[in-house]
Structures are given as C-alpha cells and as structure tokens.
C-alpha cells in the first residue's frame, strides 16, 4: 500500500459474544472502498466482560495510527467502522479517541 492510502479500522459484529475479525464484512468494505482494512479482533463476553472488548478495539485504532507508515497508510485518513455490534464499538472508540485527544485527529 502507498503511504497516502486511506484506512478503515473495522470491528466485526456478533453481539460482542461471537464473531471473528476474518468475517466477510471487512473484506467487502475493503473491496468497496479501496482502503486498507485493519480488522480488529477483540475479546468477547461473557468470558471477558465489558470493557475488555472496547479496550481491544481502542488499542486497535491506536496500533493503526502508530504503525501507519509501516502499513502504508495516511494517518490522517483513518476511519472506524463496524457491522452490528461492531458499529457500537466504532462509535465508542471514536468517543474515547476524542476524549483522550488521540492524534492525529479523526475527521468526519
């Protein structure tokens, strides 16, 4: 990937109790957008209660920003997304990133 490629940090669905980062949605999003997709695996309930999964998702965003040059993406062109419960994770990660002044700033 080029260093100016956009990226999507993607969180899978499954009610936060099932699912896997290799689910088809992440691949479809990548094909449709031509963005680099970082599909984050997160710990699932009930074995790992809240906020374990949310912490993993946030760490996935931080990892993507911290490793943007290595994976060939523009750190200012990172979006977060998810399907079903992953959409909830994306919203919560975005709010946490704003609260923590995570840089670079994620833009709408």
């Amino acid at each position: 990937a080029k260093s100016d490629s956009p990226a999507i940090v993607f969180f899978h669905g499954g009610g936060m109790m099932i699912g896997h980062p290799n689910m088809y949605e992440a691949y479809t999003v990548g094909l449709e957008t031509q963005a680099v997709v970082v599909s984050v695996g997160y710990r699932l309930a009930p074995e790992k209660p809240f906020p374990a999964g949310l912490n993993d998702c946030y760490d996935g965003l931080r990892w993507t920003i911290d490793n943007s040059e290595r994976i060939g993406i523009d750190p200012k062109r990172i979006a977060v997304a998810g399907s079903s419960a992953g959409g909830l994770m994306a919203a919560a990660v975005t709010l946490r990133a704003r609260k923590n002044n995570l840089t670079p700033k994620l833009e709408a």
Side-chain angles (χ1 to χ4, degrees), residues 80-99:
V80 294
S83 63
S84 191
L88 172 66
M89 291 295 205
V93 164
T94 301
L95 291 172
R96 184 182 282 185
R98 183 177 68 181
K99 177 183 173 189

Side-chain angles (χ1 to χ4, degrees), residues 12-59:
H12 65 80
M16 293 180 261
M17 297 187 335
I18 61 172
H20 193 273
N22 291 333
M23 292 175 71
Y24 73 93
E25 295 101 335
Y27 299 113
T28 303
V29 168
L31 291 172
E32 291 176 357
T33 63
Q34 300 298 304
V36 173
V37 176
V38 177
S39 187
V40 178
Y42 57 89
R43 292 173 285 177
L44 303 172
E47 292 81 11
K48 303 295 180 184
F50 183 84
L54 176 58
N55 292 340
D56 293 343
C57 291
Y58 182 74
D59 289 345

